Amino acid sequence: QRKNPFSSDDRLASKPAHTHRGDPTYGRPPEGSRTEQRGKEAHSHVGKEVEELCLIIRRTGQVGEDGHVSVTFGQLFETYVTISNKVVGILLRARKHGLVHFEGEMLWQGKDDDVVITLL
């Protein structure tokens, strides 16, 4: 509609053109929008859940010879599932940020109960 010469909608004409991959605003909501605010709130909430997960690992795990605290996925799942049912997603986020380490791409209850999760 922005390129349509017959469009009389002024709101469309005032919007910026599409951004491209190199642009710092690419894939981001407009500054000051409600979408941007919701994204910031969600990011903050997930960050708090990652912190809580790390605290639980520290409390329930055992300190190894290397000085790192480790816990099995089964033990962590049983402890953390009463707090949040998103334990696997939070673990993946924590690994992405370099806070924990475990083998494999995904953890499944039952199948991966013996996988060791190490708090870095």
Side-chain angles (χ1 to χ4, degrees):
Q1 287 296 325
R2 209 171 292 120
K3 295 179 182 180
N4 184 347
F6 302 106
S7 176
S8 62
D9 193 345
D10 293 335
R11 292 176 302 145
L12 293 174
S14 65
K15 287 189 178 179
H18 290 288
T19 57
H20 299 284
R21 281 193 183 250
D23 190 333
T25 62
Y26 179 77
R28 299 206 181 267
E31 282 189 46
S33 67
R34 295 215 0 103
T35 302
E36 181 189 38
Q37 183 61 34
R38 284 190 298 268
K40 287 179 180 180
E41 289 170 2
H43 183 76
S44 174
H45 179 73
V46 170
K48 288 176 186 172
E49 287 208 28
V50 168
E51 287 178 28
E52 185 177 12
L53 176 73
C54 291
L55 288 172
I56 290 171
I57 292 172
R58 184 171 283 123
R59 278 190 224 133
T60 61
Q62 303 293 324
V63 178
E65 295 174 11
D66 59 358
H68 293 296
V69 178
S70 297
V71 65
T72 62
F73 176 64
Q75 183 182 2
L76 180 63
F77 188 88
E78 289 302 318
T79 304
Y80 193 76
V81 78
T82 60
I83 299 165
S84 172
N85 60 352
K86 304 176 291 273
V87 65
V88 175
I90 300 300
L91 271 171
L92 293 173
R93 178 64 62 103
R95 178 169 68 178
K96 179 180 176 182
H97 290 285
L99 300 173
V100 299
H101 172 75
F102 56 89
E103 296 296 323
E105 289 294 314
M106 180 63 79
L107 296 172
W108 304 97
Q109 184 186 12
K111 177 183 161 228
D112 295 319
D113 283 351
D114 295 330
V115 171
V116 176
I117 299 167
T118 305
L119 184 62
L120 305 173

